[in-house]
Amino acid sequence: MFASFLKKLSQRQDVDFPTISPDEPLQVIGDIHGRLDLLDALLGKIDPKMKTIFVGDYTDRGDQSEAVLRRLMQLTTDPNRDVTCLVGNHDEMLLNFMMEPDRGHGTWLRHGGLQTLASFGVPLTPNPKPEHIAEAVFKLRERAGPDMIDWLSNLPVLVQSGNVCILHAGADPTLSIESQPSGTLIWGHPNFDRTPRKDGIWVVHGHTIVDQPLIRQGRISIDTGAYATGHLTAAVITDGQVHFIST
């Protein structure tokens, strides 16, 4: 049922929004959230030669966050692939935990951080004491290593190709893409899904879970809740066409 719905949805675009037109064919993959099994399954279905962009949220909630990060690092350094990984809010929270140990991290721990720490072999209780947090930060940084920390620190917030902009969470519909604060792109904007853009820019994003990938008023939503549903989705975007591939 899921696959047949995707086939129908791929043919639908809003008639009052400009035709989607990237500079080159693109594959955009939604939020992985620690599901290496789904990532590997989807990689087996997409074109390895096509430019591929991941929208962020590689960590938390699923049990394989470390393995997902290492697989993505490998993909982005593969000379035979053109892969870009964007930063998501969960990836930012992970980096903040490693880089700012004195900052409050309760939100991250409650929203999948404990699973991510466990995937790195760093157990932590839900309400840890400050000394336990400090110890966990030390162990996490040691296990992650400088290459991963540097990789996470340098993830871009968006990619634009033609009239297609790929980002993690959303954008302020009243501002140009060039004027968007990075925090908005990573965490979203309250009017993003309420007010259509006027500049003809299509925004492809994750962050907000949808039952099925959604095309509406210049927005393409591809976070299909992989960690819970088992469906990791890629949007394949060519000149005038969008279709979806899912696990």
Side-chain angles (χ1 to χ4, degrees):
M1 181 181 296
F2 192 78
S4 63
F5 184 83
L6 297 189
K7 185 175 181 180
K8 294 177 183 177
L9 186 59
S10 69
Q11 300 170 0
R12 173 185 168 242
Q13 291 187 14
D14 293 295
V15 296
D16 57 346
F17 206 84
T19 300
I20 195 165
S21 184
D23 292 331
E24 60 184 311
L26 305 172
Q27 296 172 144
V28 186
I29 297 178
D31 306 36
I32 301 168
H33 278 302
R35 291 294 302 267
L36 180 66
D37 55 337
L38 301 182
L39 171 59
D40 284 344
L42 189 58
L43 288 173
K45 294 184 175 185
I46 63 175
D47 184 351
K49 297 181 180 179
M50 188 180 294
K51 184 177 181 64
T52 304
I53 302 163
F54 292 85
V55 301
D57 276 9
Y58 314 119
T59 59
D60 302 346
R61 294 180 171 144
D63 295 328
Q64 301 161 309
S65 290
E66 181 190 9
V68 167
L69 291 173
R70 297 204 183 280
R71 181 62 49 80
L72 294 175
M73 289 173 65
Q74 180 185 50
L75 291 173
T76 56
T77 57
D78 185 339
N80 297 314
R81 289 181 179 263
D82 185 357
V83 175
T84 299
C85 292
L86 304 180
V87 62
N89 61 303
H90 283 264
D91 314 309
E92 183 178 75
M93 287 191 288
L94 167 61
L95 186 62
N96 287 341
F97 183 82
M98 289 193 286
M99 304 305 292
E100 304 177 52
D102 295 329
R103 185 173 177 175
H105 301 288
T107 298
W108 179 60
L109 295 177
R110 290 193 300 271
H111 290 84
L114 293 175
Q115 290 95 320
T116 294
L117 288 169
S119 77
F120 280 89
V122 183
L124 195 65
T125 60
N127 297 295
K129 296 179 179 179
E131 60 267 27
H132 295 155
I133 290 180
E135 182 181 6
V137 169
F138 176 80
K139 290 181 178 178
L140 178 60
R141 289 177 61 89
E142 186 176 50
R143 176 63 181 258
D147 288 346
M148 180 180 289
I149 294 172
D150 182 67
W151 185 80
L152 284 167
S153 300
N154 289 284
L155 294 178
V157 295
L158 64 85
V159 168
Q160 186 165 357
S161 177
N163 70 344
V164 182
C165 186
I166 302 100
L167 46 86
H168 177 64
D172 184 340
T174 67
L175 295 177
S176 69
I177 292 299
E178 296 77 14
S179 302
Q180 301 285 330
S182 60
T184 298
L185 302 176
I186 297 170
W187 289 88
H189 190 277
N191 293 326
F192 171 62
D193 60 353
R194 302 174 186 173
T195 306
R197 298 194 65 81
K198 303 297 185 183
D199 56 7
I201 296 293
W202 285 80
V203 177
V204 188
H205 70 100
H207 188 67
T208 302
I209 295 176
V210 289
D211 292 335
Q212 309 283 356
L214 182 66
I215 301 176
R216 180 180 298 167
Q217 288 294 317
R219 296 183 300 273
I220 301 177
S221 307
I222 57 171
D223 180 3
T224 46
Y227 73 94
T229 66
H231 297 306
L232 178 63
T233 296
V236 181
I237 305 169
T238 55
D239 194 17
Q241 297 290 328
V242 181
H243 72 272
F244 301 98
I245 301 172
S246 177
T247 55

